[in-house]
Amino acid sequence: MSGVGISRHRLEAGLDAIAAQEPAIARALDKVGYPAERIRDRGYRTMLRTIVGQQVSVAAADSVWRKLEALLGDAIPPEELLAAEFDALRACGLSRQKQGYARSLCELVTAGEVDFAALPADDEEAIEQLTRIKGIGRWSAEIYLLFAEGREDIWPAGDLAVQVGMGKLLGLTERPSEKETRALAESWRPHRGAAAVFIWHYYQNAAL
């Protein structure tokens, strides 16, 4: 399945709506401009790739992924991964813990308990379903819904860069907590997904 994501047009429209009521966003947009789209493919492979990439470098994750594709085929079907030997997966670079996470994902997909083509429309229900997968916490579920599904009001308040960027954007003396970050963006509904993409863009801007 191809990615939906939040298109550039929708990002800009959402940010314009927030900027109309939030001077700090308006000023920041003038300084750094609109962010680029962040779109990932929808489906099981993207979530599996998330598991593979946890706590390792991009290069290491790429290496593991190539070995998995060589072993199981480009689609890495969940049934094939479940049937694979422990040592074969370990030779690809999957630790015992990550094999447990990957098998949890594959078991839920093959049982129809997680259907990436028909996740619940309610964001919290979708997050609850995705976090049934071992190794997938709220942040990973939110990132999937934002980048692969284009859920426009996803707000990953637990993300450190969002918290730091929020504090910088609003001129706060201390980094806001997750609870404070969530409260500060409450008035930005239903465009908090666009705000998150923008704050990452703002946080990463070397000129500021």
Side-chain angles (χ1 to χ4, degrees), residues 34 73 103 111 128 156 192:
Y34 295 103
R103 289 183 185 279
E128 188 278 328
R192 293 180 301 169

Side-chain angles (χ1 to χ4, degrees), residues 88-103:
L89 294 176
R90 184 170 62 182
C92 291
L94 281 186
S95 66
R96 180 180 298 276
Q97 183 181 57
K98 285 194 178 179
Q99 287 195 44
Y101 296 165
R103 289 183 185 279

Side-chain angles (χ1 to χ4, degrees), residues 118-130 138 145 149 151 154 189:
L119 290 173
D122 179 82
D123 292 339
E124 287 301 320
E125 290 180 15
I127 289 168
E128 188 278 328
Q129 189 171 115
L130 291 174
R138 184 180 180 92
L145 293 172
E149 295 239 332
R151 302 281 183 111
I154 290 292
R189 289 178 180 271

